[in-house]
Amino acid sequence: MAQPLLRRLHSTCPDARLTVLARPHVAPVFRYMPEVEQVLVAPFSQGKLQWKELRQLVCQHLQAEHFDRAYVLPNSFKSALLPWLAGIPVRVGYVGEMRYGLLNQRLPNPDKNQPRPPMAEFYAALAGTPAQGDYFNSERPRLILPEAEVQAARQHFLGNSDATPLIGFCPGAEYGPAKRYPVEQFAALARLFIRQYPHGKIICLGGPKDADIAQAIAQQSDLGAGHMLNTCGQTRLDQAMALMKSLQAVVTNDSGLMHVAAALDVPLVALYGSTDPQHTPPYTPQASIATLALDCSPCFARECPLGHFRCMRDLAPERVYALLEPLLSNHFQ
Ligand code: SF4
């Protein structure tokens, strides 16, 4: 969701060198953005000040680069402290957590009484120039993966398998269970897919924390290894991205991997529970949104505050499959 900002900065000033400072779990994504020249990894955990690491990063890397400008995307105090400590002369960002002294070009925080703005547009506004197109087409995020990496990942994880179609499940969501489609419903969806496509295969993608969820889906679907491969926790992020590029479609919670699928041009069905498809949509014309849009939604809670979790529990696998099927039949036309 940061990429439309990077693209806009690059097109406004094509000779500028763009460096991204990112935490380790997202840093690989920026390496596939053509606008980005350099990626620095910030060894920080969320919510902790980590003064020693902060000073080290500033002294060893940021000051030496003599950056002219910094665009601060997160709203935290710590993220604005870094460019201020590094002496970067122009520091742009939203006011966020009372960062008046740290940022010298500030945009006001969005009105809390209004629906949250779309994230890509929220970040891109920091560029200070108008959008050139719309965020679902010409301005949308795109990741460029070398074909050799795609082939290597396919060979490593799928060997000479001739299963077709290949689809992905992304059953995790770091934010919390209120963003995760239930295991039994993913399992039922898997059965619907294999009933229609007996030569198909489902690849579960995610990090180590998602491995148990994917394992439970495999067990409850009762499909066996020939029809389902659990790669959660078995891949680096760049390998998961390369593997995803081989898939005909992905069914995904509202998560980082959903945005990766969109930016890789992989057709997808996005499942929304406690969050808002207007706020964090998959920026692609090839996405179908599965949401019940209940009165209590979006609550943006990590766990259902009402206890019933109807936003996901009532989202029938048949309804999700009805959105998936056209994406597959388009592929086989
Ligand atoms: S309150 Fe509503 S939207 Fe929020 S998690 Fe519960 S069912 Fe879903």
Side-chain angles (χ1 to χ4, degrees):
M1 287 183 284
Q3 198 188 16
L5 167 65
L6 299 170
R7 186 176 310 128
R8 216 184 280 183
L9 293 173
H10 181 68
S11 66
T12 311
C13 196
D15 294 332
R17 295 176 53 220
L18 290 178
T19 293
V20 172
L21 175 68
R23 290 200 287 140
H25 69 287
V26 289
V29 178
F30 289 100
R31 298 199 176 99
Y32 297 102
M33 296 185 185
E35 304 83 7
V36 175
E37 184 165 310
Q38 176 180 220
V39 181
L40 298 177
V41 178
F44 300 136
S45 315
Q46 200 161 13
K48 296 185 187 157
L49 186 56
Q50 295 175 285
W51 187 249
K52 190 171 142 234
E53 289 84 352
L54 205 86
R55 297 278 314 175
Q56 225 167 23
L57 181 68
V58 167
C59 297
Q60 291 179 1
H61 296 290
L62 301 187
Q63 284 176 339
E65 296 276 352
H66 300 291
F67 292 115
D68 297 307
R69 292 178 155 254
Y71 292 84
V72 183
L73 277 67
N75 277 330
S76 68
F77 190 82
K78 181 168 81 175
S79 55
L81 195 55
L82 273 167
W84 181 77
L85 283 172
I88 299 174
V90 180
R91 304 175 302 277
V92 187
Y94 286 91
V95 170
E97 294 176 352
M98 303 295 285
R99 306 183 295 181
Y100 291 99
L102 300 178
L103 302 174
N104 51 15
Q105 285 190 11
R106 294 179 299 273
L107 274 71
N109 292 336
D111 184 347
K112 283 192 175 148
N113 298 317
Q114 297 295 322
R116 299 184 190 195
M119 283 301 282
E121 294 162 52
F122 175 74
Y123 288 144
L126 293 173
T129 53
Q132 306 293 315
D134 89 73
Y135 291 91
F136 293 88
N137 288 291
S138 60
E139 288 280 293
R140 68 193 181 80
R142 283 203 187 92
L143 298 170
I144 310 297
L145 259 65
E147 183 57 27
E149 288 188 28
V150 176
Q151 291 307 328
R154 191 184 167 111
Q155 182 61 35
H156 183 80
F157 290 100
L158 296 167
N160 295 323
S161 166
D162 58 0
T164 187
L166 294 170
I167 68 163
F169 282 178
C170 305
E174 180 77 24
Y175 184 72
K179 282 175 82 172
R180 295 187 206 126
Y181 196 48
V183 163
E184 57 274 22
Q185 279 151 276
F186 259 122
L189 180 65
R191 287 193 296 273
L192 288 170
F193 166 69
I194 293 297
R195 193 178 306 150
Q196 184 68 22
Y197 295 99
H199 301 294
K201 189 162 187 156
I202 300 157
I203 319 293
C204 287
L205 296 158
K209 289 182 192 163
D210 308 323
D212 288 348
I213 299 173
Q215 179 66 21
I217 294 170
Q219 274 168 358
Q220 292 196 24
S221 68
D222 214 15
L223 288 175
H227 285 310
M228 192 173 285
L229 175 67
N230 179 5
T231 68
C232 297
Q234 311 289 317
T235 63
R236 299 186 311 267
L237 178 55
D238 57 329
Q239 287 176 310
M241 290 163 64
L243 191 52
M244 187 182 265
K245 187 69 184 156
S246 291
L247 306 178
Q248 274 82 65
V250 165
V251 181
T252 172
N253 295 326
D254 171 20
S255 65
L257 283 178
M258 176 189 79
H259 296 290
V260 166
L264 288 174
D265 274 334
V266 179
L268 63 100
V269 179
L271 309 162
Y272 282 82
S274 66
T275 52
D276 180 3
Q278 304 297 322
H279 176 53
T280 50
Y283 287 97
T284 168
Q286 301 192 84
S288 295
I289 306 293
T291 177
L292 294 177
L294 302 181
D295 287 345
C296 55
S297 172
C299 67
F300 294 108
R302 292 176 193 270
E303 293 188 34
C304 179
L306 303 178
H308 54 58
F309 195 31
R310 278 188 43 223
C311 58
M312 285 292 202
R313 292 212 174 281
D314 287 359
L315 186 56
E318 291 77 9
R319 185 167 170 163
V320 178
Y321 186 73
L323 297 173
L324 174 64
E325 172 61 33
L327 302 180
L328 298 173
S329 42
N330 285 348
H331 178 79
F332 286 105
Q333 270 172 9

